[in-house]
Amino acid sequence: MTARKPFIINSIAPIRVCDNGGWTDTWFAGHGRIFNIGVYPYAEVQLTVSSDGDHEARIIINAENYGERYVVNPERHWDKHPLLEAAIEYMRVPGDLSFEVTIYSEAPGGASTGTSAAVTVALIGALDSLTPGRLTPHEVALAAQRIETEMLRQQCGIQDQLCAAYGGINYIEMHRYPHASVSPILVPNSIWWELERRLALIYLGTSHQSSSVHEMVIRGLENAGPECPQLQDLRATAPRSRDAVYAGDFAALGQAMADNTEAQRRLHPRLISPGHQRVIDIARAHGALGWKVNGAGGEGGSVTILCGDVSQVKRTMIRDIEQENALFRNIPLYLSRHGLRVWERSCSA
């Protein structure tokens, strides 16, 4: 590669909320239907690149949210931030380049909003600029999912990566794991703006952790088969959500969200924690139309709430939730019209 002056690559990708149909985007479900919404705050990656790749500190990771900056040692196998280090290895950046990668997100880690998937998608998108050819959004999402499942051997669905790559409101049909089609839900601005106005994201203040409960649910679903009633109940909420958004029927969307949360509870009662339930109870008392425990559920994480007609009632609800528990906090959000975005500029003198 021809030597050039140092340059910067910026990359951002949205997180996701309201993942109705989640759990059906997995290997044990076989096929699935998922509705989700890409939102900001986004995951942000910035690469500072130079053509001096022979020195020892060729790759530096600056995990800004964790206050950690370190040189990647290729002889140590993904020992500090495995997801970031595995993604860098996967992308095979030419050895004559050195770079520092800074990762940041205003969305708290462990909020069950697909933040780690958004980070991986943004990182792959940025690194893709340093390799021959260009990946499509679908290819970026598939690469991010492979890194988690094949390189890191983690349980992982497909919807988070697809939402981060595509953005917007999505209806995802997984016909055979992990292969899926993504249908963006395009609506008039009046519906888009009204949906954005009604949504609230409440973080419980503690990171979601995979647990023995999740492993037990997975074993049960694996043994039950892809057509079991539990998975069918979850799948059914996705097309209902899609149709409700197209119609601008927020009451129907809220009901699909609440039904999905109850379907999660039927998988295992502990997937809806006491913290989730308290937020739901306050939201219901303020006339909210629906609520979705984000992600797989369990301890920690977050709840998406779909509020009613009056904005002041939404603001009062948020104040009451935050006063209920010092850990509970509202994460301001707005809908992302775009998925992965990557652009480059020269370093300033």
Side-chain angles (χ1 to χ4, degrees):
M1 183 175 290
T2 304
R4 56 178 293 188
K5 293 182 179 180
F7 59 99
I8 291 174
I9 296 170
N10 295 286
S11 178
I12 60 174
I15 61 173
R16 66 100 186 96
V17 298
C18 195
D19 56 321
N20 290 340
W23 283 98
T24 76
D25 61 325
T26 55
W27 64 269
F28 49 84
H31 66 96
R33 295 193 295 266
I34 307 95
F35 166 94
N36 61 27
I37 304 172
V39 300
Y40 293 164
Y42 48 69
E44 178 182 354
V45 168
Q46 188 171 71
L47 297 182
T48 304
V49 187
S50 61
S51 301
D52 56 354
D54 294 332
H55 59 77
E56 293 182 358
R58 189 175 79 86
I59 301 174
I60 298 172
I61 290 178
N62 178 12
E64 189 174 346
N65 292 94
Y66 296 91
E68 295 180 358
R69 183 177 182 273
Y70 62 96
V71 176
V72 174
N73 185 340
E75 296 181 0
R76 294 200 303 263
H77 193 64
W78 313 330
D79 61 337
K80 290 190 176 181
H81 290 277
L83 190 57
L84 306 180
E85 295 167 24
I88 290 170
E89 181 175 316
Y90 180 92
M91 290 303 292
R92 298 182 180 179
V93 175
D96 60 348
L97 295 176
S98 64
F99 58 89
E100 178 169 343
V101 52
T102 299
I103 312 285
Y104 178 75
S105 178
E106 291 186 8
S112 297
T113 53
T115 304
S116 63
V119 165
T120 311
V121 164
L123 179 55
I124 291 170
L127 294 172
D128 183 47
S129 297
L130 303 178
T131 61
R134 289 296 173 267
L135 299 173
T136 67
H138 214 95
E139 289 170 331
V140 170
L142 185 59
Q145 202 264 349
R146 282 175 175 165
I147 289 165
E148 290 203 46
T149 57
E150 297 178 12
M151 297 179 73
L152 300 180
R153 303 295 181 185
Q154 296 177 352
Q155 295 281 0
C156 181
I158 65 167
Q159 60 144 326
D160 293 353
Q161 295 83 1
L162 287 169
C163 188
Y166 281 88
I169 310 169
N170 294 297
Y171 181 67
I172 300 168
E173 293 182 278
M174 186 181 76
H175 53 278
R176 180 174 56 84
Y177 177 86
H179 305 291
S181 62
V182 180
S183 300
I185 298 174
L186 305 177
V187 295
N189 281 335
S190 58
I191 293 177
W192 181 279
W193 295 332
E194 183 65 11
L195 177 60
E196 184 175 70
R197 185 193 67 78
R198 288 174 181 259
L199 286 175
L201 175 61
I202 304 299
Y203 176 51
L204 299 189
T206 56
S207 295
H208 163 78
Q209 299 291 337
S210 295
S211 65
S212 59
V213 173
H214 284 186
E215 293 299 326
M216 182 168 56
V217 170
I218 290 169
R219 286 195 299 271
L221 291 176
E222 178 184 11
N223 294 333
E227 306 307 324
C228 68
Q230 301 97 309
L231 289 172
Q232 295 285 46
D233 288 347
L234 290 162
R235 287 189 190 99
T237 65
R240 288 170 53 197
S241 303
R242 173 201 61 197
D243 295 347
V245 170
Y246 275 129
D249 187 343
F250 297 105
L253 176 60
Q255 189 61 58
M257 294 166 65
D259 289 348
N260 196 107
T261 297
E262 290 309 306
Q264 289 171 260
R265 196 192 305 271
R266 288 193 292 274
L267 293 180
H268 196 287
R270 285 172 56 190
L271 294 181
I272 311 302
S273 72
H276 294 134
Q277 190 59 54
R278 187 60 191 133
V279 169
I280 290 169
D281 290 343
I282 297 172
R284 182 187 285 114
H286 286 80
L289 300 178
W291 38 83
K292 168 65 172 72
V293 171
N294 290 313
E299 293 298 322
S302 62
V303 182
T304 301
I305 300 171
L306 185 68
C307 298
D309 294 331
V310 181
S311 294
Q312 183 177 351
V313 174
K314 174 185 174 181
R315 290 189 288 269
T316 302
M317 178 199 74
I318 290 171
R319 286 196 297 270
D320 287 351
I321 289 172
E322 292 183 330
Q323 289 171 6
E324 173 71 18
N325 187 318
L327 294 177
F328 295 172
R329 65 184 176 100
N330 176 58
I331 307 296
L333 60 79
Y334 61 95
L335 275 59
S336 168
R337 291 190 183 271
H338 305 282
L340 173 66
R341 288 186 281 169
V342 182
W343 67 99
E344 179 182 322
R345 68 177 181 84
S346 301
C347 289
S348 301

